[in-house]
Amino acid sequence: MEKKVRKAVKCFLIRNNKVVVTKYKVGNIKEGYYDIPGGKIEEGETPEETAKREFREETGMIVKNLKRRGTIVTEYPDRIFTFETFVTDTYEGEPKEFEENTSEWIEIDELLKKDKLLSNIIMLDRFFIKGLLCESCNFEVHICVNEDEEVLNVEYKIM
């Protein structure tokens, strides 16, 4: 069976060892899970335009000066997400609450201790964050997960 591939983005807003995250509310299939803002690339949109739009829709914040850092491929048993990944520390506004999710600043070390994390948050781990924050680096990461977001395998390359 060929897996459906969905092209999307993730945008890491990191400042002073804190990151902006979303947390899904009751009624969502991923209720209680923390995630990095992002979403599907719409027809006619560049990945950077998508990152800015999705960040605003999910947090109420405006991000600027995005830097593309690499690609996260998350492979589930029946589907694959390919995320163009951006990082920034420049923004306007503060995290807000929405019908489907809340958004907040959280210390990276505190976030990594949470039980319900979507797999892309692995990029904030001490080992992987180097590629995310390196000005002259580009990374590729392939994460295999099960339906419960348990990471089964990670392949990582910095270029």
Side-chain angles (χ1 to χ4, degrees), residues 103-118:
S103 60
E104 65 184 281
W105 283 102
I106 188 170
E107 292 277 344
I108 292 173
D109 291 340
E110 182 184 333
L111 175 64
L112 294 173
K113 293 175 187 172
K114 302 288 185 184
D115 289 332
K116 292 183 167 185
L117 301 175
L118 291 186

Side-chain angles (χ1 to χ4, degrees), residues 4 6 10 14 19 29 31 39-40 42 45 47 50 59 63 79-80 85-86 100 107 110-112 138-139 151:
K4 182 178 179 180
R6 181 175 176 181
K10 288 291 174 187
I14 300 172
V19 63
I29 192 166
E31 178 184 330
K40 182 182 174 193
E42 300 292 341
E45 244 181 355
T50 301
T59 69
V63 287
R79 65 201 181 283
I80 298 173
T85 305
F86 296 89
E100 294 181 5
E107 292 277 344
E110 182 184 333
L111 175 64
L112 294 173
N138 211 348
F139 69 82
V151 175

Side-chain angles (χ1 to χ4, degrees), residues 7-23:
K7 295 190 182 289
V9 300
K10 288 291 174 187
C11 184
F12 291 79
L13 172 55
I14 300 172
R15 188 176 253 194
N16 300 326
N17 205 37
K18 290 184 176 182
V19 63
V20 171
V21 294
T22 59
K23 184 178 179 184

